[in-house]
């Protein structure tokens, strides 16, 4: 089955700096890659996703890039703010698995003033 | 509550007892999922269901059981066979053709 690895496990940046979180996946059939943000004690919420027919997607301060050849995808957050502090999860799902997502182990992002 | 409701928010179980976690959605989503979240291990899939009266085991199904008698409901039973049930349990749903998940607010289960 699919295996998703996520790095780093913790990331501390100063307010205004950029943050990058990287994930690799194992199943070359995977074609959907969402990112979720989970604030302390709350449910994960979808922040951005990308499908395998595009290489990059942007939504204001966040962007996701996908390299299918290398089987990795990354989340980029620019101009970080304290409210970006949370745990971020990447995930992947493959064709024929009924949208069943495999998640990475999460990255705890802390944005300091 | 975002269209998907989990209850209770906190649950305490004595060893040897079965407990059932509730998950209800009013989003008309076809697929529903149960994940377990442990510190440092991300979200691991327990069971999932694509349609009513059908469900599949996920990666860590041992010690758990589910049912899907109605489209809106996907309860999870944590049986006494689950050796380490203390965790945060998340239910999610999605449209069959729309991969995005909507998560419930979770149930924190503690064995006492």
């Amino acid at each position: 089955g699919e295996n998703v690895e996520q790095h780093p496990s913790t990331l501390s940046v100063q307010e205004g700096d950029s943050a990058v979180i990287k994930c690799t996946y194992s199943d070359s059939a995977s074609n959907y890659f969402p990112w979720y943000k989970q604030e302390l004690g709350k449910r994960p919420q979808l922040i951005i996703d990308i499908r395998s027919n595009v290489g990059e997607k942007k939504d204001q301060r966040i962007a996701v890039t996908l390299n299918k050849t290398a089987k990795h995808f990354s989340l980029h957050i620019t101009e970080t703010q304290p409210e970006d502090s949370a745990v971020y999860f990447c995930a992947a799902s493959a064709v024929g698995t009924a949208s069943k997502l495999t998640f990475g182990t999460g990255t705890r992002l802390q944005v300091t003033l | 509550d975002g269209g998907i409701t989990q209850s209770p928010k906190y649950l305490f179980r004595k060893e040897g007892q079965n407990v059932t976690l509730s998950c209800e959605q009013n989003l008309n989503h076809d697929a529903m999922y149960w994940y377990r979240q442990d510190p440092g291990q991300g979200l691991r899939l327990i069971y999932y269901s694509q349609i009513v009266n059908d469900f599949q085991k996920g990666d860590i199904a041992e010690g758990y059981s589910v049912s899907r008698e109605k489209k809106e409901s996907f309860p999870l039973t944590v049986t006494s066979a689950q050796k380490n049930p203390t965790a945060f349990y998340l239910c999610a749903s999605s449209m069959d053709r729309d991969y995005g998940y909507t998560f419930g607010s979770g149930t924190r289960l503690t064995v006492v």
Side-chain angles (χ1 to χ4, degrees):
Chain A
E2 176 66 277
N3 182 51
V4 177
E5 295 191 356
Q6 183 172 347
H7 301 280
S9 57
T10 61
L11 179 60
S12 182
V13 299
Q14 285 198 321
E15 183 179 7
D17 288 350
S18 295
V20 180
I21 302 170
K22 299 182 179 181
C23 289
T24 61
Y25 60 98
S26 60
D27 190 343
S28 57
S30 288
N31 61 350
Y32 176 67
F33 308 92
W35 287 87
Y36 288 83
K37 175 184 180 182
Q38 187 178 28
E39 296 177 14
L40 190 63
K42 296 190 176 180
R43 72 188 80 190
Q45 295 202 311
L46 179 69
I47 56 171
I48 195 167
D49 58 11
I50 192 168
R51 288 180 167 79
S52 59
N53 56 344
V54 297
E56 183 174 0
K57 185 177 178 180
K58 214 172 177 182
D59 183 3
Q60 299 183 354
R61 296 187 296 108
I62 60 173
V64 57
T65 59
L66 172 64
N67 183 330
K68 284 220 73 177
T69 303
K71 290 192 280 188
H72 67 70
F73 56 112
S74 301
L75 178 71
H76 305 253
I77 306 173
T78 58
E79 300 171 21
T80 54
Q81 301 168 3
E83 52 264 38
D84 294 329
S85 296
V87 178
Y88 292 81
F89 292 96
C90 62
S93 76
V95 173
T97 57
S99 307
K100 180 167 67 74
L101 289 173
T102 299
F103 285 84
T105 51
T107 296
R108 182 173 300 277
L109 173 64
Q110 184 166 2
V111 180
T112 58
L113 297 172
Chain B
D1 198 15
I4 182 164
T5 302
Q6 288 187 243
S7 62
K9 190 169 183 178
Y10 298 97
L11 186 57
F12 296 89
R13 189 195 94 172
K14 292 182 180 178
E15 288 196 21
Q17 283 184 337
N18 292 355
V19 290
T20 297
L21 283 59
S22 171
C23 179
E24 304 275 336
Q25 54 98 1
N26 60 5
L27 301 168
N28 199 33
H29 284 174
D30 296 309
M32 297 186 74
Y33 313 83
W34 275 104
Y35 282 85
R36 170 179 171 144
Q37 187 173 23
D38 296 281
Q41 295 195 48
L43 283 73
R44 294 182 291 166
L45 183 64
I46 304 172
Y47 269 98
Y48 64 104
S49 169
Q50 297 172 252
I51 57 172
V52 175
N53 293 322
D54 185 59
F55 48 83
Q56 307 295 328
K57 291 182 179 180
D59 301 318
I60 55 165
E62 186 175 351
Y64 300 97
S65 66
V66 293
S67 63
R68 188 85 186 277
E69 297 176 1
K70 299 187 299 182
K71 186 175 184 178
E72 302 80 18
S73 179
F74 191 41
L76 173 75
T77 296
V78 184
T79 74
S80 56
Q82 169 50 235
K83 298 305 179 189
N84 185 22
T86 295
F88 188 53
Y89 291 87
L90 284 161
C91 179
S93 68
S94 70
M95 287 298 289
D96 191 32
R97 294 185 179 183
D98 176 357
Y99 295 104
Y101 280 15
T102 299
F103 280 95
S105 55
T107 292
R108 188 166 297 280
L109 173 63
T110 304
V111 174
V112 297

